Amino acid sequence: MALGYALAYTLLRHVSFSFWLIFAGCRLGVLLFVPYRYWPALAIGECLALVPHGMACAPEYGWLWGVGYMLPPILFAMPVVRWCRERRRMFPSRNATNINVFLSCTLAVSAIWTAVNMVTFSVMQWPAGAFHYQLRSVVGWYFLGNYIGILTLVPLILFVREELPIADLRQLWAKFSESRLVMDSAFLLVPALVLLVWLVRGASGDVSREARVAMFLPVAWLALRHGWRGAALGGTAASIAVVLTVTGVRDTDTVQALVFIAFTITTMLMLGGRIALLHEGEMREKTDARLALAMAQRNVFMGEMQLRQTSYALEQVSGAIQASYTQLVGRLRGLLPGLDERTYYRQAALTQHQMYRLADSLYPLAWRERGLLAALREGSMPRALDEAGIVYWCDVRDGKLDELPTSVHITLYRLACEAVALACSKRNISHIHVRLRGGSFGGRRWVALCADTRVEYERLSRVRWDDLASALGGSGLGLGAIKDRAAIFRGKVRARSLPGGERLSLMLFEPDLL
């Protein structure tokens, strides 16, 4: 651990300078994610990386400076980082980060490391003829360097930690290729920053300064679109782009651009954290809604299964009534020789037929034996309409309706019965045409049901309305009940008038897999 951290620290030192200390991001990153038992190894590793440079420069800048330089600054940040991790709950869960606590920690450790650097700077012995920097400028450079170095590296590490906790490279590549944030960064953020870097290097004066300042725009756009994760990726890319435009050690334009980028990243991370919370709340509400719909769909299915058991029980009771009537008539024949048996047999047959129709309306026999299409064409509802004198027919335009779940079939049949019952309740129809059509969109199947009604007054006068409503199997609660039942499957219902009749159309979707 010590050697690995020393190597990473040394490599990052070679690409850092006074107002862009990228190794500060590495220093805070390891403190945030390495277990506490390895922290002494981190201090030893940083000391290993600082000792050679301190020993080499101590004769020139003074041994007091050398001793202060070789003292690892990571030691002074450990209490703050541990307090933020333990007491302030910077990571409330494995895949969550408290951005406000992270930014507070970043400000605190940047100030601590700046103070350490300034103490070392204050005891430095300047060589003869060396350029003396103003203390205020040095403080600003070191604080900006630590702060922007952390914001360049650590938010990106946080993003990788939360979004890519996958060990399998194939799954990792699949997640990368499907991520909207990665696609926006690759095809919009990077080209925009490359164009701005080219403008800064190719122009001068106001155009160059404006191009540097404009580098905050991709950061703001990604943050508003993807939350703090977008600000993390955009901030890393923008700070690197600004550094690529450095023209000298005391490049004030670059310093000003980095200050503006640091302010932008901080603001966008805070705003993005809030946006992420709102997005998580919205996703949680959607998940709760999906769970509620799934529960309602299961309850509908359970209710239909109870109706099926009731239908079976009524059929058994119907057979028992027929046997009881036969036994009763046989005993009465011996007691009353002149008994007219036909009246009792007709009564028994009528009672058995009524119970059969009731059982068939609860759960059609044709549905049990041959499925939804047979129930819509030959079940209790079509037979009741035919007996009442109403012309009815059903067309199906998709032969793949059998691929839909049973719960959707049940709901389609009940909605068809409700639509027919609603149309018949007005007693002004003579023809009903039901059409079914299915399809798929985005890998999810849907089915539409359309019930058209029209009237022929010559036939309307011969329609027998008595006892029709009970035989159709509808609830009789009107259009509101149809909308409520369709909403369980995210359905849409629409009713409108046609020349000579009316149309009720609805669409259902395949249930979500939870």
Side-chain angles (χ1 to χ4, degrees), residues 24 28 77 103-117 142-151:
L28 180 59
L103 291 175
S104 301
C105 180
T106 300
L107 286 170
V109 298
S110 298
I112 291 172
W113 290 336
T114 301
V116 172
N117 291 332
Y142 274 120
F143 181 81
L144 176 63
N146 286 301
Y147 189 69
I148 197 68
I150 293 173
L151 293 184

Side-chain angles (χ1 to χ4, degrees), residues 303-422:
E304 293 294 337
M305 294 302 100
Q306 292 174 354
L307 288 178
R308 184 174 68 175
Q309 293 177 359
T310 305
S311 177
Y312 288 156
L314 285 175
E315 288 183 2
Q316 295 174 359
V317 171
S318 175
I321 289 177
Q322 178 67 27
S324 299
Y325 264 103
T326 302
Q327 185 180 7
L328 178 61
V329 170
R331 291 191 176 185
L332 289 176
R333 188 186 301 117
L335 297 175
L336 302 173
L339 178 67
D340 187 3
E341 302 177 4
R342 290 174 297 176
T343 303
Y344 291 97
Y345 278 120
R346 282 197 300 269
Q347 185 65 31
L350 179 60
T351 302
Q352 187 179 22
H353 178 67
Q354 290 176 345
M355 295 191 69
Y356 172 78
R357 289 186 61 178
L358 178 59
D360 199 40
S361 65
L362 290 177
Y363 205 88
L365 179 63
W367 185 2
R368 287 179 249 163
E369 295 178 351
R370 288 175 291 166
L372 173 64
L373 301 184
L376 289 176
R377 289 172 175 171
E378 306 169 13
S380 59
M381 185 260 291
R383 287 199 307 269
L385 293 174
D386 183 65
E387 293 174 2
I390 297 177
V391 178
Y392 169 87
W393 67 101
C394 177
D395 292 338
V396 179
R397 298 185 181 181
D398 185 8
K400 297 182 179 180
L401 291 177
D402 293 338
E403 298 178 1
L404 290 169
T406 305
S407 57
V408 178
H409 287 185
I410 293 173
T411 304
L412 278 174
Y413 178 76
R414 297 303 181 193
L415 287 172
C417 293
E418 293 283 358
V420 171
L422 177 62

Side-chain angles (χ1 to χ4, degrees), residues 100-235:
N100 291 332
V101 176
F102 164 71
L103 291 175
S104 301
C105 180
T106 300
L107 286 170
V109 298
S110 298
I112 291 172
W113 290 336
T114 301
V116 172
N117 291 332
M118 293 314 300
V119 170
T120 306
F121 182 83
S122 63
V123 298
M124 178 185 293
Q125 297 178 3
W126 291 92
F131 180 84
H132 288 267
Y133 295 96
Q134 295 183 1
L135 184 62
R136 186 176 59 181
S137 300
V138 176
V139 172
W141 287 353
Y142 274 120
F143 181 81
L144 176 63
N146 286 301
Y147 189 69
I148 197 68
I150 293 173
L151 293 184
T152 301
L153 191 59
V154 180
L156 183 63
I157 299 174
L158 294 174
F159 166 75
V160 174
R161 169 183 173 269
E162 290 192 9
E163 295 295 322
L164 305 174
I166 301 173
D168 189 0
L169 292 179
R170 185 176 300 177
Q171 296 180 3
L172 191 64
W173 173 253
K175 191 172 182 65
F176 261 122
S177 60
E178 295 173 1
S179 174
R180 294 282 300 275
L181 175 56
V182 173
M183 293 298 104
D184 289 343
S185 301
F187 296 105
L188 294 175
L189 172 68
V190 174
L193 292 177
V194 169
L195 176 62
L196 291 173
V197 171
W198 177 76
L199 286 175
V200 172
R201 287 185 170 275
S204 60
D206 294 338
V207 176
S208 177
R209 285 190 292 272
E210 291 174 359
R212 281 193 176 99
V213 173
M215 291 178 181
F216 88 95
L217 292 175
V219 183
W221 179 77
L222 278 181
L224 294 176
R225 187 173 176 83
H226 300 284
W228 73 264
R229 297 168 181 83
L233 278 179

Side-chain angles (χ1 to χ4, degrees), residues 239-261:
S239 60
I240 294 175
V242 172
V243 170
L244 291 176
T245 63
V246 174
T247 58
V249 178
R250 295 186 293 274
D251 187 357
T252 57
D253 290 338
T254 303
V255 173
Q256 293 174 0
L258 281 175
V259 170
F260 191 71
I261 291 296

